[in-house]
Amino acid sequence: NILFNKGTVTIFAGERTINLTIGSNIAIVNGNPITMATPVVSVNNRTFLPASQLAGLLGIRSDWDTATKTATFENK
């Protein structure tokens, strides 16, 4: 489940609650601040952050193969 509210996004995923704020590179995961490499952005009322950052916040392993330009995601 995802809730959008005036510049914030809250994601409920299993036992994780992730709070994101547009323009901030700090995610709050279960009450704990996590510094991300890039800030969350909004373009045309859509929220964006790198898939690898979101995967990490969700506890999903991500790998990038430069040779094949392929991203792989694995749920732990």
Side-chain angles (χ1 to χ4, degrees):
N1 293 329
I2 301 174
L3 299 176
F4 299 92
N5 185 22
K6 297 179 183 175
T8 63
V9 178
T10 303
I11 301 169
F12 300 96
E15 295 181 9
R16 292 177 192 245
T17 300
I18 302 167
N19 294 298
L20 305 168
T21 301
I22 304 300
S24 175
N25 70 329
I26 305 295
I28 307 298
V29 180
N30 292 341
N32 300 305
I34 305 290
T35 301
M36 300 183 295
T38 59
V40 177
V41 297
S42 178
V43 177
N44 296 325
N45 293 319
R46 300 215 181 246
T47 304
F48 293 94
L49 70 152
S52 61
Q53 285 187 168
L54 181 58
L57 296 173
L58 291 168
I60 297 170
R61 193 178 119 201
S62 64
D63 289 309
W64 174 253
D65 185 325
T66 304
T68 63
K69 297 182 179 172
T70 304
T72 305
F73 298 91
E74 181 181 350
N75 199 357
K76 296 178 185 177

